[in-house]
Amino acid sequence: MLREIPRTSISQTSLAHDFNNVLGQSYWLESLCAEVYEKEYKAALQRQPAARVKLTEDQWQRLLKLHLDLLEEYRELYSFARDPRAPSLPQETVEELSLLRRMWGCGVAPFLHLLTMGRPASDEFFLSFVNHTYALIAWLHASAPPILDEIWVEKLGYLAQGRMVLAQKHGDAKDVEIWSNVAKSWYTMTVDKYPQTGRSYFDLGRAALPQTIQQLAYYLESQVCLDPFYGAQNHISDIFKNGMIGPRSRSHIYITEAAFVEIHANLFQQRQPVDQVQGLINEFCVNLLAEYINRTGEAFYQKGVALALVNIAAVFEYGALSDHQLSKSLFRLHFLQVWGRKTNPMYIDHKQTVTPLASLDQEVAQDLRATQVASVMITLGSRISFATLCEVLQRPRSKNVLLIIHVMFCFIWGVASIEELLNWVEQDIPWSDICSFLNVLTESTKVTAEMCVETFPRLG
């Protein structure tokens, strides 16, 4: 049995004195760090055309030590804030939200910026700083109250993402996968809490490297959710312009995913005539998709969801965001008019006011070309969405397809009660295949009706 170590008694005066010393040291280190950042950043901007930070190894080492010392002062301040023996300390000075803002704004973000501008010469110091900072913030997150959880989670995701990017630069595929999963696990916590916020999906997309389809799905999700994030548009355009991430391959999986990206690139940019895009969709669904499902095996459980999300985004015209972040998507406007209020009776799209359905067509008709383009995109998006669904429905005994089918069933349920939307997609929905799939599913699984209606869609 271990003997308890006696706790040293300390007076309030001594505790306050120690606190003031740490606080003064932190302010002094903050000023030094700010001075260094301003000096080196201005110097880097003068090195055109490429703004780079050029420092010797000794200089980087001194800067690293300076910032690590500052982080240690923040850790001590946090310890003071949580010490029950220090009730008389000025809590507003060490209040956790304020401390986090100071720590990130003065001790972390500026130095990360300098390290990024100094790469690849600064890679070794970037790695040391990110690892130390991640460990510190993870420790703070573990002891922080739940109200601050989302703030710490965002920072941890950002640091894990930085670690992932560094591993990618060095060609370390295993480290890329590890840190990508770590970053996504943090960002997923934010998405689960705020599923309507586009910025959360954008963060997930940046952490999804090197999985092109998964990354594209998250970026597009950030465009079609209730609160879209306009900043993802350049990343989406880059994927459609450059195609698949990584080296080219002759594998069937690579060829199928490249064909899928090409289809949506043509839809997004309206690069080819409708009949040619329809031909690409037929080629993908008839000749490529079945073998792709077979070869990916259990991985299709997640890959299939990404395919479904990208296809559904096409039906929503990829968000159709304007420069002012206002969505011009016909499908989205109709959808929000009904489901935005069903899911939240007090729902008001703070980016724009949802126009009554009766006047939607009149407003959009002012730009006939935009209406025609939207109609074509919705039609082709619907075709690839339900042609993909039709193929996966042919595997009723495979668990690998259940998740994509669940996603598509949710989508069908969402549009089935909105006549304007159902008119666009109804002819593509494989009703008979859905019935056959469910009949086979009930042979091996006990199915209980969670949502019941007396009539089949459009037959009531």
Side-chain angles (χ1 to χ4, degrees):
M1 187 174 185
L2 295 176
R3 185 178 61 181
E4 182 180 357
I5 300 175
R7 176 173 292 184
T8 304
S9 177
I10 184 171
S11 67
Q12 290 291 313
T13 303
S14 298
L15 195 61
H17 180 267
D18 292 343
F19 168 76
N20 288 329
N21 285 339
V22 173
L23 185 61
Q25 182 75 358
S26 69
Y27 284 145
W28 177 67
L29 289 173
E30 281 179 2
S31 65
L32 286 181
C33 291
E35 184 180 326
V36 169
Y37 175 75
E38 184 176 1
K39 175 185 175 182
E40 297 301 334
Y41 181 67
K42 286 182 177 179
L45 292 180
Q46 294 174 0
R47 299 187 182 103
Q48 295 298 339
R52 310 295 298 174
V53 174
K54 295 183 178 181
L55 297 175
T56 65
E57 186 172 333
D58 288 341
Q59 288 174 317
W60 280 120
Q61 187 65 52
R62 287 197 295 270
L63 281 182
L64 175 63
K65 185 178 184 307
L66 174 65
H67 285 81
L68 292 182
D69 287 345
L70 178 56
L71 292 183
E72 180 60 23
E73 298 301 323
Y74 288 132
R75 189 194 66 78
E76 291 195 29
L77 283 175
Y78 182 83
S79 298
F80 275 110
R82 307 288 289 180
D83 194 332
R85 297 174 297 168
S88 61
L89 294 179
Q91 293 299 313
E92 67 278 2
T93 306
V94 292
E95 193 267 334
E96 291 178 49
L97 181 57
S98 174
L99 181 61
L100 171 60
R101 287 171 177 165
R102 285 180 57 201
M103 182 174 67
W104 191 262
C106 301
V108 179
F111 191 44
L112 283 178
H113 191 199
L114 288 183
L115 288 165
T116 302
M117 295 177 70
R119 293 170 60 187
S122 63
D123 279 356
E124 177 186 348
F125 306 99
F126 185 96
L127 177 62
S128 297
F129 185 68
V130 167
N131 286 343
H132 184 94
T133 307
Y134 183 89
L136 174 61
I137 294 185
W139 175 75
L140 294 174
H141 168 259
S143 59
I147 193 172
L148 296 178
D149 187 67
E150 63 189 84
I151 301 175
W152 296 107
V153 163
E154 180 186 359
K155 306 308 181 188
L156 286 165
Y158 182 83
L159 290 169
Q161 181 185 322
R163 185 68 178 80
M164 176 199 73
V165 171
L166 185 61
Q168 185 186 26
K169 293 288 185 183
H170 291 172
D172 190 337
K174 186 172 182 60
D175 259 13
V176 170
E177 181 181 2
I178 291 172
W179 285 102
S180 172
N181 290 333
V182 171
K184 285 189 290 186
S185 69
W186 291 119
Y187 288 140
T188 299
M189 294 182 187
T190 306
V191 169
D192 290 343
K193 193 170 184 178
Y194 303 103
Q196 75 281 8
T197 304
R199 178 57 190 261
S200 302
Y201 296 103
F202 173 71
D203 289 336
L204 268 173
R206 291 193 301 169
L209 286 172
Q211 303 172 52
T212 307
I213 306 296
Q214 187 74 61
Q215 190 174 45
L216 181 61
Y218 286 134
Y219 284 156
L220 290 174
E221 188 75 8
S222 76
Q223 303 293 282
V224 301
C225 62
L226 293 182
D227 185 10
F229 179 68
Y230 184 73
Q233 288 205 335
N234 289 337
H235 294 75
I236 295 170
S237 297
D238 287 344
I239 291 178
F240 285 144
K241 179 181 178 180
N242 302 322
M244 296 290 292
I245 298 171
R248 294 183 178 274
S249 169
R250 293 185 179 181
S251 71
H252 186 86
I253 293 177
Y254 180 91
I255 292 172
T256 304
E257 292 183 349
F260 182 78
V261 172
E262 183 182 1
I263 290 170
H264 286 279
N266 281 292
L267 275 175
F268 183 78
Q269 300 169 344
Q270 293 105 45
R271 294 190 308 201
Q272 295 189 21
V274 173
D275 57 341
Q276 292 187 24
V277 178
Q278 181 63 61
L280 293 174
I281 293 174
N282 293 338
E283 172 68 18
F284 172 79
C285 295
V286 175
N287 298 327
L288 296 175
L289 184 57
E291 185 64 19
Y292 177 77
I293 296 173
N294 294 335
R295 295 200 180 196
T296 52
E298 293 182 358
F300 189 77
Y301 193 74
Q302 295 295 334
K303 287 179 176 288
V305 174
L307 295 180
L309 292 178
V310 175
N311 288 338
I312 291 172
V315 181
F316 280 91
E317 304 149 73
Y318 305 103
L321 296 185
S322 69
D323 292 339
H324 302 291
Q325 302 194 39
L326 301 180
S327 177
K328 296 181 180 179
S329 166
L330 294 176
F331 205 91
R332 184 178 189 271
L333 290 172
H334 284 298
F335 190 86
L336 290 182
Q337 179 66 33
V338 177
W339 280 98
R341 299 187 187 282
K342 278 189 177 182
T343 55
N344 183 358
M346 300 300 293
Y347 168 75
I348 297 177
D349 189 346
H350 65 271
K351 293 293 184 185
Q352 65 187 108
T353 302
V354 179
T355 311
L357 287 175
S359 62
L360 277 176
D361 294 333
Q362 180 180 357
E363 284 191 3
V364 179
Q366 296 176 3
D367 188 346
L368 182 58
R369 182 178 180 279
T371 305
Q372 292 172 339
V373 170
S375 180
V376 168
M377 191 176 295
I378 293 170
T379 300
L380 292 176
S382 172
R383 286 178 185 172
I384 188 173
S385 295
F386 293 111
T388 302
L389 175 62
C390 185
E391 180 59 43
V392 299
L393 286 172
Q394 309 310 312
R395 296 163 172 76
R397 290 182 172 83
S398 172
K399 294 183 179 180
N400 300 333
V401 301
L402 292 181
L403 204 51
I404 181 177
I405 292 174
H406 173 76
V407 171
M408 291 304 301
F409 280 6
C410 289
F411 175 62
I412 293 172
W413 177 260
V415 302
S417 60
I418 307 174
E419 184 175 358
E420 291 87 348
L421 303 187
L422 200 56
N423 287 336
W424 263 314
V425 304
E426 180 186 19
Q427 62 181 355
D428 298 316
I429 300 176
W431 295 113
S432 60
D433 289 320
I434 290 174
C435 292
S436 299
F437 172 84
L438 293 176
N439 287 335
V440 174
L441 190 65
T442 56
E443 295 175 2
S444 58
T445 305
K446 183 178 180 180
V447 178
T448 57
E450 298 292 340
M451 297 178 286
C452 301
V453 291
E454 295 181 357
T455 59
F456 198 74
R458 307 289 271 179
L459 295 181

